[in-house]
Amino acid sequence: MPYFIIVLGTAGSGKTTLTASLQDYLLNHNLDAVAVNLDPAVESLPYKPDIDVREYVNARELMRKTGLGPNGALIAAVDMLATRIDELRDEIWSLKTNYIIIDTPGQMELFAYREIGPLVLDTIVGDAKAVSLFLIDGIYASKPSNYFSALLLSASTHVRLGFPQVNVLTKIDLLPENIVDNIAEFHNDPYAFATRIVEDKKASLIWSEDEVLILLEKLLMTDVVFVSSTQMLGYDNLYASIQRIVAGGEDYYTEEPSPVL
Ligand SMILES: Nc1nc2c(ncn2[C@@H]2O[C@H](COP(=O)(O)OP(=O)(O)OP(=O)(O)O)[C@@H](O)[C@H]2O)c(=O)[nH]1
Ligand SMILES: [Mg+2]
């Protein structure tokens, strides 16, 4: 059975670029991987999707035909997809591959936070193993209270979708090395992280340092990896995190041969 890798994250966090780079990485390691574009509104892609949701529903065409705005058109497109979801699932499952990477729509809240989005993913994934990657823009995360709010959003998405999740801090090529080290250090030292979070006046108005610490205990349980998709940095760690979840740390080839191979 293939493994599903669902790429999630706020608009512009790097989902599409990571989908392309992760597919390249897996192919370069002799692992078969296909890319599915599930964004009905995307204009152009840096990878050639093996399956493209725009052949089922196209949000840009809907905008032209109906006069809907970009958000309305994306909502309508995802709703329309629900009527053809079995067809899409069958097309995806007809691919003979190890990994299926799913690039999701830019406006995550219109997908993950409506009823249809999780239903579409559940239907596609079925009984297969899946991991969702929650992308956090590294530039945004360089401020501790921002990183904290991104972790809260990740947890919220985790609750919505229910797949085992890995946080992926993206675009580290744009960050000074010491900032990346600082963020990594927060994972070893939640006390220091909590102190830095409440240095932000707005965060301190909502929660005390002790309350933040209680939240961090849960939030920091999720794996985090640091990547640059343009420079291919951190991809060995990303692959290891994915494997830990879908295959208990084993490489794909050490698994039982599956009927679809
Ligand atoms: N420097 C750098 N830029 C990146 C990286 N990953 C993505 N980008 C840039 O960030 C911008 C957004 O990247 P996308 O991959 O389109 O992000 P997305 O999450 O798919 O965006 P939407 O689907 O529109 O929400 C683009 O200009 C990318 O070139 C990275 O690792 N390093
Ligand atoms: Mg995208």
Side-chain angles (χ1 to χ4, degrees):
M1 244 198 247
Y3 295 141
F4 284 86
I5 302 171
I6 301 157
V7 186
L8 300 161
T10 49
S13 54
K15 299 179 290 294
T16 297
T17 312
L18 182 135
T19 298
S21 298
L22 185 57
Q23 185 184 26
D24 282 349
Y25 176 92
L26 293 169
L27 293 175
N28 287 336
H29 287 76
N30 294 324
L31 293 158
D32 217 3
V34 301
V36 175
N37 170 44
L38 213 58
D39 185 353
V42 72
E43 215 151 357
S44 68
L45 291 167
Y47 60 88
K48 191 178 169 302
D50 297 274
I51 291 176
D52 193 338
V53 76
R54 290 174 298 178
E55 283 170 18
Y56 291 75
V57 285
N58 190 316
R60 287 185 187 272
E61 209 172 283
L62 269 176
M63 275 172 74
R64 269 195 304 278
K65 283 190 183 153
T66 62
L68 283 167
N71 291 345
L74 179 58
I75 290 173
V78 176
D79 287 352
M80 283 166 70
L81 182 62
T83 64
R84 297 185 64 189
I85 186 61
D86 290 345
E87 214 181 314
L88 177 66
R89 179 205 49 211
D90 292 348
E91 194 189 353
I92 292 173
W93 275 82
S94 72
L95 299 169
K96 309 280 181 257
T97 187
N98 304 149
Y99 293 88
I100 298 176
I101 310 168
I102 301 183
D103 182 13
T104 61
Q107 285 85 342
M108 188 185 71
E109 73 278 20
L110 303 180
F111 180 71
Y113 290 84
R114 297 184 68 256
E115 283 308 309
I116 302 292
L119 186 77
V120 164
L121 289 175
D122 284 345
T123 307
I124 291 172
V125 169
D127 292 334
K129 286 190 180 164
V131 54
S132 53
L133 307 180
F134 186 85
L135 273 52
I136 298 171
D137 192 315
I139 297 287
Y140 174 74
S142 45
K143 183 175 167 190
S145 58
N146 283 357
Y147 185 41
F148 176 57
S149 74
L151 293 178
L152 289 168
L153 186 59
S154 163
S156 163
T157 307
H158 195 174
V159 169
R160 284 287 304 149
L161 299 180
F163 298 111
Q165 191 156 292
V166 173
N167 289 326
V168 182
L169 200 107
T170 60
K171 310 185 190 179
I172 60 164
D173 57 294
L174 299 177
L175 294 177
E177 213 169 297
N178 67 317
I179 298 279
V180 178
D181 291 345
N182 285 349
I183 299 173
E185 193 46 39
F186 287 152
H187 285 260
N188 299 323
D189 190 352
Y191 295 93
F193 188 16
T195 306
R196 295 293 309 281
I197 290 166
V198 295
E199 277 170 11
D200 181 334
K201 206 150 178 280
K202 286 188 181 144
S204 73
L205 288 173
I206 311 288
W207 282 316
S208 71
E209 193 169 330
D210 285 347
E211 286 167 333
V212 166
L213 207 49
I214 292 168
L215 291 165
L216 286 180
E217 200 182 317
K218 270 273 175 240
L219 297 177
L220 296 179
M221 281 168 70
T222 303
D223 257 13
V224 64
V225 289
F226 300 82
V227 305
S228 162
S229 300
T230 50
Q231 313 276 321
M232 291 306 281
L233 301 172
Y235 271 69
D236 287 341
N237 288 337
L238 176 59
Y239 174 68
S241 272
I242 292 169
Q243 286 307 108
R244 250 197 306 281
I245 287 176
V246 292
E250 299 291 316
D251 276 329
Y252 193 94
Y253 289 130
T254 61
E255 298 238 304
E256 288 290 304
S258 76
V260 295
L261 284 176

